[in-house]
Amino acid sequence: MEETWEKQEAMGASDGKDNDMVRNMLMDTNPFLLAITFVVSILHTVFDFLAFKNDISFYKKQKSMVGLSVRTMSINAFFSIIIFLYLADNDTSTMVLLSNAVGCCIEIWKLSRAVKISFVDGKLSWIEAESYAKSTTKEYDEIATNHLLYVTMPLVTGYGTYSLMHMKHRGWYSWIISTLVGFIYMFGFVMMTPQVRNDQTDTSP
């Protein structure tokens, strides 16, 4: 096994940090707990794959964006990128980073189904799908998102100030990323409101 790890490190397939973590886990962990950890890790990977598969299947079948919150999709894509950057900044294992990178790519792909983003004359162009742009979904989406801004901006500012004064960070970049991730973990569920509002509108008589 040591020879295999050395060959992987030589080829760049893995780094020494991951291999050291595996060595310590094999030597210091109870075999029963190790088996449970292995099973849970496999199940987590399988559930991740199924979630990715269902997400892709659902959006591939969508011919219309009516009833889907484009702003929630944008926020989810932004959240995924921030979480990935946070994990990378904190030297997370390659396996976790890979899983989050796949999820991040899927969120960006989902957003690309609803909007077309391009640069025209040096300016960012945001063109929404026609089925969404001409629907009442967009109207409700904008109302819900605008109201949420009044709630979330003070929360982000307050948490960022608290984090800067009472927590240690390696630099300004780490502080910004940590603040955004802390906000996502504590209040990210609030940003689902636009989609929930659209669902209620679609199902109301």
Side-chain angles (χ1 to χ4, degrees):
M1 187 174 289
E2 286 287 344
E3 292 181 2
T4 303
W5 284 334
E6 290 176 1
K7 290 179 181 179
Q8 289 178 343
E9 289 180 23
M11 294 186 294
S14 66
D15 54 32
K17 177 191 66 177
D18 288 342
N19 290 340
D20 288 340
M21 182 176 67
V22 174
R23 289 188 189 98
N24 292 333
M25 183 175 65
L26 291 175
M27 290 187 295
D28 301 335
T29 306
N30 182 292
F32 179 71
L33 294 178
L34 188 63
I36 293 177
T37 302
F38 178 75
V39 172
V40 171
S41 298
I42 293 297
L43 290 175
H44 185 275
T45 303
V46 171
F47 290 147
D48 266 352
F49 173 78
L50 293 175
F52 294 152
K53 177 179 176 294
N54 290 337
D55 237 6
I56 293 173
S57 299
F58 175 80
Y59 280 91
K60 282 184 71 174
K61 294 176 182 177
Q62 290 298 314
K63 303 299 181 183
S64 170
M65 290 293 113
V66 175
L68 295 175
S69 172
V70 171
R71 281 166 175 73
T72 296
M73 293 165 63
S74 304
I75 292 169
N76 286 340
F78 173 72
F79 282 179
S80 295
I81 293 171
I82 293 299
I83 291 173
F84 175 79
L85 293 176
Y86 173 78
L87 293 174
D89 187 54
N90 285 272
D91 300 325
T92 307
S93 67
T94 305
M95 182 176 179
V96 175
L97 278 178
L98 182 61
S99 176
N100 277 269
V102 172
C104 192
C105 291
I106 291 175
E107 291 294 340
I108 294 172
W109 172 79
K110 284 160 54 177
L111 182 60
S112 71
R113 301 277 296 178
V115 298
K116 291 183 179 180
I117 302 174
S118 59
F119 285 94
V120 179
D121 297 329
K123 296 181 179 180
L124 183 65
S125 174
W126 174 286
I127 303 175
E128 296 164 343
E130 186 176 355
S131 59
Y132 171 82
K134 295 182 178 180
S135 68
T136 55
T137 299
K138 180 179 179 179
E139 177 185 351
Y140 295 126
D141 208 1
E142 290 176 347
I143 293 172
T145 305
N146 290 338
H147 280 77
L148 280 175
L149 287 176
Y150 294 111
V151 177
T152 56
M153 288 302 102
L155 291 175
V156 173
T157 304
Y159 180 77
T161 303
Y162 174 84
S163 175
L164 183 62
M165 295 177 62
H166 299 283
M167 299 180 184
K168 293 182 179 180
H169 303 281
R170 287 181 288 182
W172 288 106
Y173 173 78
S174 293
W175 170 66
I176 293 172
I177 294 297
S178 297
T179 298
L180 291 174
V181 167
F183 169 79
I184 291 169
Y185 287 155
M186 286 192 291
F187 306 108
F189 68 92
V190 176
M191 305 309 293
M192 295 172 60
T193 303
Q195 183 61 63
V196 173
R197 178 69 179 84
N198 288 338
D199 292 343
Q200 290 178 339
T201 303
D202 290 341
T203 56
S204 61

